[in-house]
Amino acid sequence: MSKRILAADDSAAMREILGVTLEEAGYDVTTASDGQEALALALKSQFDLVLTDQHMPAMDGLKLIQSLRQMEAYDAVPILVLTTEFGESFKLAARDAGASGWLLKPIDPLTLAEVVAELIAHEDA
């Protein structure tokens, strides 16, 4: 059974890139257009990894991470932030919220697939 990934991004193009890249790598991908939709999906289903954009309407990535980390089912699930922010203050805020890591946009599909595989392998260990 393939691992399930939840990918939240307000950009339809980015959701398409994430979906195609990760499905080609063998994952089952569900997408959400903002943090609220992602949280609703996470409440209904269990995912093995969550990808989130930082800047989204309704609920940003850090608030999504904080909400997920309050749920027992997601206290140890890897969460990767996809962002254009590279400052140290953002990295600290993301880590404090419970992010497992982050990747800078634009996302290189090969790097994304490698990082996701590492995070999922670490979760299984």
Side-chain angles (χ1 to χ4, degrees):
M1 187 153 121
S2 63
K3 297 290 185 171
R4 300 187 68 224
I5 296 175
L6 174 59
D9 200 297
D10 59 328
S11 163
M14 189 65 184
R15 288 192 306 273
E16 179 72 17
I17 290 167
L18 294 172
V20 168
T21 298
L22 295 171
E23 286 170 358
E24 285 180 358
Y27 301 106
D28 178 15
V29 181
T30 300
T31 61
S33 59
D34 62 42
Q36 282 184 340
E37 183 182 358
L39 186 59
L41 289 165
L43 287 167
K44 292 178 187 172
S45 237
Q46 180 65 39
F47 294 92
D48 301 295
L49 183 134
V50 177
L51 300 171
T52 181
D53 182 22
Q54 168 50 22
H55 298 288
M56 296 182 289
M59 179 187 287
D60 70 25
L62 294 185
K63 287 183 183 142
L64 172 60
I65 294 167
Q66 291 166 340
S67 297
L68 289 171
R69 290 297 186 217
Q70 291 175 3
M71 299 165 54
E72 187 177 335
Y74 287 92
D75 63 351
V77 169
I79 302 174
L80 189 63
V81 181
L82 309 176
T83 184
T84 57
E85 294 190 38
F86 55 87
E88 199 59 36
S89 63
F90 172 75
K91 290 178 184 178
L92 290 172
R95 190 167 308 266
D96 288 346
S100 306
W102 52 86
L103 286 176
L104 288 176
K105 290 181 176 181
I107 303 295
D108 173 59
L110 183 58
T111 301
L112 174 66
E114 289 172 355
V115 170
V116 165
E118 276 182 37
L119 287 170
I120 286 180
H122 186 264
E123 177 193 21
D124 288 343

